[in-house]
Amino acid sequence: LLFAGDPCPYGREGCNPNQRPRQWATRLYYLAHSPFELTWALDSNIVCCDPRAAARFLRTAEQSRLWGFDIATANQAQGELYPHNWNLMVRWSRATSNLMRDWLLLQFRRGLASDDQGTLFAAMQRQRASGGLRVGQVPTPFAAAFYSPKQGSFFPRITRPLTARAVVLHVGSGNGPASQQWCRAFNTDAGTRR
């Protein structure tokens, strides 16, 4: 890591003090240096339930130039978009270059180990207000994740409504046989609102 982190970046609840120190400034730094016109940045603990569907989604995003958006993120709210940074799609433009610079500087100011979702939200609002940044949401089947509905509390954890099969999941540990279990759990009643 380029920068030291914090083993409990979200406070005591849900914290395992023996885990590696976490911080997101390094990821942000590398994301800002992606050489690709379109970058789909996913956390390392994602599970892909259908690689072909994920590849088609990425190909469509490339062909449509991210459907006219500069950035699309997973959403960790039921209402207005609030970024969930485990799943980001960025199409390089002057607007996203300005966003990345603003986001990195805000992260430096707020603390390298502080939550990077708040700093991305602030940078997105600033860049939208200054004109030009177009923000989209990654569709829930390609961004299925748990989030905390209560401000300041990690638990309970819920997901956004799924009305189609989940393709990309953000789960704590989904390697090997556990990934198949997660996919089955998310997709058992696919197509029914839950």
Side-chain angles (χ1 to χ4, degrees):
L1 296 176
L2 289 177
F3 312 107
D6 182 342
C8 301
Y10 298 113
R12 292 179 352 133
E13 191 174 3
C15 172
N16 176 0
N18 297 323
Q19 73 184 9
R20 289 188 194 131
R22 298 181 70 180
Q23 56 81 23
W24 293 270
T26 301
R27 174 181 69 176
L28 196 165
Y29 178 81
Y30 287 123
L31 178 60
H33 287 87
S34 172
F36 303 104
E37 182 179 341
L38 179 72
T39 299
W40 190 6
L42 300 165
D43 276 3
S44 60
N45 59 349
I46 67 114
V47 169
C48 184
C49 298
D50 186 345
R52 286 190 176 117
R56 281 191 306 274
F57 177 70
L58 179 58
R59 198 169 29 258
T60 302
E62 288 173 321
Q63 291 168 347
S64 68
R65 299 196 47 141
L66 196 55
W67 301 280
F69 297 111
D70 295 303
I71 183 170
T73 75
N75 186 1
Q76 61 175 316
Q78 287 298 331
E80 206 172 305
L81 177 74
Y82 189 84
H84 204 180
N85 295 355
W86 69 273
N87 189 330
L88 300 170
M89 297 186 92
V90 179
R91 182 179 59 84
W92 290 109
S93 64
R94 180 178 303 278
T96 52
S97 177
N98 292 338
L99 172 70
M100 289 293 161
R101 183 176 46 258
D102 197 20
W103 184 16
L104 185 63
L105 293 173
L106 282 169
Q107 191 67 34
F108 285 162
R109 277 188 232 125
R110 290 195 183 169
L112 298 175
S114 66
D115 179 20
D116 69 336
Q117 293 165 147
T119 52
L120 174 59
F121 182 71
M124 285 184 346
Q125 297 309 320
R126 288 163 46 142
Q127 294 303 317
R128 287 174 69 195
S130 68
L133 184 71
R134 293 169 306 235
V135 178
Q137 177 179 316
V138 177
T140 302
F142 297 92
F146 294 103
Y147 71 93
S148 304
K150 292 183 188 174
Q151 185 81 8
S153 178
F154 191 74
F155 295 106
R157 305 288 282 167
I158 63 173
T159 67
R160 294 181 54 73
L162 277 165
T163 56
R165 293 184 62 78
V167 175
V168 179
L169 312 174
H170 184 252
V171 292
S173 59
N175 298 325
S179 65
Q180 295 168 0
Q181 292 171 343
W182 278 111
C183 291
R184 273 195 304 276
F186 268 80
N187 290 318
T188 297
D189 298 314
T192 58
R193 189 169 179 92
R194 55 191 191 282

